[in-house]
Amino acid sequence: MVLLQRPHILLLLIDTHQFLQCWIAFGSANEEGQQQEEFSEELLVKPLPDHKLLAHFHFQSSAPPSTSNGCHHHLFPKAISQLVQKFRVKEMELSFTQGRWNYESWGGFDPISSSNAKPPGVELWAVFDVPQHHIDASWKNLTHTLSGLFCASINFLESTATYSTPEWSFPPASGNVRYGTFPCEAVCTENLTPWLRLLPCRDKAGIALLLDRPSLYRGFYHSQRLHLTSTESSSEGIDSGIILEQTLTVVLQPNSERAIEVHASEKHVQPSWSLSSIFGKQVSGRCVLAKSSSVYLLLDWGLVAELKFPNKENGKSAANGLTSENFWSNPSFELSVNPDRIFLEESSSHSKSLSILYMFQVEKYSESEPFDIGLMWKVPVAWLCQQTPLHASRFFMGSGNERGAIAISLKSTQFTEGFMSANSKDGSCELRVDVFQVVPWYVKVYFHSLRVFVDQQPRAVSDFIEKIHVSPSKDKMSPGVMEVVLKLPCRVNTAALTIEFDKGFLRIDEYPPDANQGFDIPSAIISFPNFHASMVFLEDDSLNRSPLLSKFQEKCPVMSYTEVLLVPLTTPDFSMPYNVSTIKCTVFALYFGSLLNVLQRRVAEEERFLKAKAAKKTGRLPLLLSKLSAKLRGSGINQD
Amino acid sequence: METFINPKSLFHLLLLPCLLLYSSIAYNSSPVEAAMHTNNWAVLVCTSRFWFNYRHMANTLSLYRTVKRLGIPDERIILMLADDMACNTRNKYPAQVFNNENHRLNLYGDNVEVDYRGYEVTVENFLRVLTGRHETAVPRSKRLLSDEGSHILLYMTGHGGDEFLKFQDSEELQSHDLADAVKQMKEKHRFKELLIMVDTCQAATLFNQLQSPGVLAIGSSMKGENSYSHHLDSDVGVSVVDRFTYYTLAFFERLNIYDNASLSSLFSSYNPSLLMSTTYYRKDLYKRRLEEVPVTNFFGSVMETIHTDAAYKALSRRNSGRFEDEMSLDQSVHHIKRRMLIKVNDGDEIHDINPEGEEGASKCPWSTFRNKFQKAENVDSLLNYGLVAMIPLLVISTWLVQ
């Protein structure tokens, strides 16, 4: 027995030893890998040419792969990680937008406008890591979950008639992507609050403290976006887990009472502002859970060119002496707070001047000394933002309630002129434009009627369209999708695509309650894959990069959304069913009533009955009584 | 044959009175003790669309604020708003909704959780919420997850008429629909007590078809009367609150969660001359005396506290095995089985008050048999009585006709 037991004990000892070793190794690996959940908060403020102000909040949370620490989180929102795990979401973007991004005056060729300018209402796309036949079910469940999470009616995107499957024109090009928009969705506080709840400090501390609802929603444009990428599968060597990027982009009008006081000659001076004047609040210290917490002020290169910094000519030397005071004590404006650092944009090919980024660390400030940056303009400045290569707009053609046409027009901007002159030596230069358009099924588009106009001349479609993918709509089943790749010459002034459609009929129960308002056709996405909006700032420590700046460095293709179209459909008289049933009932009653009358009536008998009645005017009860008495007396009342 | 039948009938005869007595005790005692008031829910519905119906949304949000203030948490409030007023382009005060022209109180604060909004507010979704018949994908926050211990406040406002309430200007909720939904809720043990509060024109007519016990209904106006708005805010440009809701709020603003104001004091606080309509209460389905029911029973979340000396004892004593908190594994299994049985028997709740030591598994078939038997007996006797009653009628009529 003893002999038998010994090996067991030995084995046990070895086992425990191994286990301990494993455990220690695991623990140390965990420490070494520094796979920690991280959160950072940033705010970027940028004056816009039309006397407005852009505020761009950027919150980023990241969670290491779930294998390393199970399903426990201390910073990362649990709701999101559960959602990713349950529906196997590889990448997802959800945006709530109100207002329309003004591409002409707010720019279209910078990272903010190409990734944060979104179509009005709700836009959702998601890439799933599930087999093809499960994707639609996952999408449906995802829309419902998101609608519960964000208090929105995203679940209207669950029906197949509302979402589409882009084949290749959509950025994360693969067959597993689903795309849906719901343009008439209202966006308000109830959508922002759950979005803020995903932040570790909510809106109680840090930069998010600035998000005062009335001042946010008073703005011209606000877009609240949630983007998540996950690399759950450990097939690749690098696991980044889940990265959740939350951005809120608002365009506000600094309400400058002083500007009104200033007399008319100084009308063109940009309004001076401070964070407390536009949001009504100040930042009292950072969110203590955040790894980095900073505020940036971005001066566009167009603006910098106008400002004439003292040593603008030797930009490189200025970049070396970053702390030089030249950049923030300028004759044309004054900052209320001294910036902690100044970044210069790395020279880019397209611009004559370089953007400047002022950085302010929020960590230094506290409750007693709140952070509030302000910018005061002294002299009027006017500049232009850099625009997309072609300015896209979309409109309806035709009249009447039966048919019409959709036109997408592309106009060259000042950028294309510069680009053209730069590339003119090449001789044959081409501009690639991708168009992605989803049309609901009740607008029946005839794809064969697609026509291309270049410089107002009708041209052969095959000359300019390199690639086209069309999936026609099915009634009440799926929307029509059109993906086109256009190759236009660089010298093009205007180009237009037109496509004809018939207006469909809906059943009476398919009309929304406000059917007379019209039906929305979602925005078309116009992207320029050969152009990349990126801003690279010279930074000395590349290890400690801010997520916002590294986001700016990413090469994302320039994208713009067209307007949402409102198509009036023929609406029936909604009281018609009641009228019909009333008339029907009346007719039936009249018909059957009179028919029965004719068939049943016995005129002779009736006359006799009347006569009898006239003879003895007795009531019903006496009749019954008399019957009874007659019965009792034994003689039955015989038939008269 | 006779020898075979006789013992059986004798057995029946002996068993029947016992059974009747037993079941009557069980039947009478169990609904009272069956479910204790354990939670509160609120379903607040604004059914009208378009800007000029601002006041209906303000009404609903005021009630939302009140019930939240009195302790019902957001996850137990289903808020349905048919349109977006706060961020409407016509609203001069973005992200704010006021119910008074003094603008002292922003009803649309930072923490509004709207569960159904816009086109989602339909009669179908409303009835789905009440009856709990959703698609599987619908998230928990959009469901009314009440149980037999729930007190539910159902508040509706919008445009109504004789026995209907308009939803979004395109469809109607009929009084029959409402009554059916409430009946289904009762059958599914989705509420213990339900207070329906309606602020529309001719609100009283909406309650005409209600039959389920435990339902209390308040309407802002009688048949043929209109409900009027309270006052116009010239800054917002529309009327901001309805009279009935305004005076309801005036009553609640004086209260906090610890107040013991009764429902009858709420009902008597309505002054018809101020309201310009007559409030209507339907309390024939509600068994408790309104003087004894505090308003926080529905508008707040105030539970009855039971003082116990030892943990768990009092609860189990009080509820006679319904809330067995000593959840050893086999007991809980019995418990579940019993609950299933209750569902099967359709409210005919049978509990063993005296724990004689019978096994749960053996109990189940016995009681089902007993029940079936009892039902069969009842049906037979009913049929017999019916036939007997028919005979004299038949005789008299034939005699008269001849």
Side-chain angles (χ1 to χ4, degrees), chain A residues 188-257:
Chain A
C188 208
T189 318
E190 69 260 27
N191 305 120
L192 183 66
T193 307
W195 184 86
L196 283 171
R197 269 190 205 142
L198 302 176
L199 305 176
C201 290
R202 303 197 171 186
D203 58 345
K204 301 285 180 259
I207 290 171
L209 202 63
L210 287 174
L211 296 170
D212 171 50
R213 313 298 197 276
S215 43
L216 276 187
Y217 291 101
R218 194 171 288 132
F220 291 86
Y221 173 86
H222 65 91
S223 171
Q224 149 202 345
R225 175 172 155 270
L226 179 134
H227 183 114
L228 66 89
T229 40
S230 80
T231 45
E232 279 294 308
S233 56
S234 52
S235 56
E236 296 150 40
I238 30 162
D239 267 356
S240 58
I242 312 169
I243 296 175
L244 172 70
E245 186 193 313
Q246 290 173 263
T247 63
L248 177 74
T249 312
V250 272
V251 175
L252 300 165
Q253 177 81 63
N255 52 339
S256 49
E257 284 92 28

Side-chain angles (χ1 to χ4, degrees), chain A residues 140-141 144 147-148 151 153 155-156 185-191 193 197 213-214 217-218 513-514 578 628 631, chain B residues 49 84 86-87 94-96 108-114 117 119-120 135 137 139 141-142 168 399-400 402:
Chain A
K140 183 183 168 184
N141 289 329
H144 273 285
S147 83
C151 293
S153 25
N155 51 323
F156 279 118
E185 175 78 349
V187 183
C188 208
T189 318
E190 69 260 27
N191 305 120
T193 307
R197 269 190 205 142
R213 313 298 197 276
Y217 291 101
R218 194 171 288 132
D514 51 354
Y578 305 102
L628 207 67
K631 203 77 177 169
Chain B
R49 203 176 181 80
D84 161 56
C87 292
Q96 294 170 80
Y108 218 73
D110 291 350
N111 267 318
V112 181
E113 221 174 80
V114 189
R117 60 176 201 175
Y119 296 150
E120 277 183 297
E135 274 186 73
S141 66
K142 289 186 158 188
Q168 300 238 14
W399 182 56
L400 275 180
Q402 279 170 9

Side-chain angles (χ1 to χ4, degrees), chain B residues 138-157:
Chain B
V138 172
R140 280 177 73 87
S141 66
K142 289 186 158 188
R143 290 166 186 250
L144 179 71
L145 297 164
S146 55
D147 52 31
E148 66 258 90
S150 304
H151 283 190
I152 302 179
L153 166 72
L154 170 59
Y155 175 84
M156 292 189 280
T157 178

